[in-house]
Coordinates of all heavy atoms in Angstrom, one line a residue:
H18 N 55.3 85.9 92.8 CA 54.1 85.2 92.5 C 54.0 84.8 91.0 O 53.6 83.7 90.7 CB 52.9 86.1 92.9 CG 51.6 85.5 92.6 ND1 51.1 84.4 93.2 CD2 50.6 85.8 91.7 CE1 49.9 84.0 92.8 NE2 49.5 84.8 91.7
E79 N 101.5 56.6 121.4 CA 102.4 57.8 121.4 C 101.8 58.8 120.5 O 101.5 58.6 119.4 CB 103.8 57.4 120.9 CG 104.5 56.2 121.8 CD 105.8 55.8 121.1 OE1 106.0 56.1 119.9 OE2 106.6 55.1 121.8
A176 N 76.3 94.9 88.7 CA 75.0 95.6 89.1 C 75.3 96.9 89.9 O 74.8 97.9 89.7 CB 74.1 94.6 89.8
I178 N 78.1 98.7 89.9 CA 78.7 99.7 89.1 C 77.7 100.2 88.0 O 77.6 101.4 87.9 CB 80.0 99.1 88.4 CG1 81.0 98.7 89.4 CG2 80.6 100.2 87.4 CD1 82.3 98.0 88.8
A182 N 76.2 104.0 87.9 CA 76.6 104.8 86.8 C 75.4 105.3 86.0 O 75.3 106.4 85.6 CB 77.6 104.1 85.8
L293 N 88.2 91.1 75.1 CA 88.6 92.0 76.2 C 88.9 91.2 77.4 O 89.9 91.4 78.1 CB 87.5 93.0 76.5 CG 87.4 94.3 75.7 CD1 86.2 95.1 76.0 CD2 88.7 95.1 75.7
S317 N 79.2 95.5 83.4 CA 78.4 96.6 84.0 C 77.9 97.6 82.9 O 76.9 98.3 83.1 CB 79.2 97.4 85.0 OG 80.4 98.0 84.4
L381 N 87.8 80.7 79.9 CA 89.1 81.1 80.4 C 89.8 80.0 81.0 O 90.9 79.7 80.8 CB 89.0 82.3 81.3 CG 88.5 83.6 80.6 CD1 88.4 84.6 81.7 CD2 89.5 84.1 79.6
N407 N 89.4 59.7 73.7 CA 88.6 58.6 74.2 C 88.0 58.8 75.6 O 87.1 58.1 75.9 CB 89.5 57.4 74.1 CG 89.9 56.9 72.8 OD1 89.2 57.0 71.8 ND2 91.2 56.5 72.6

Side-chain angles (χ1 to χ4, degrees):
H18 177 69
E79 299 171 344
I178 297 173
L293 278 175
S317 65
L381 291 178
N407 292 322

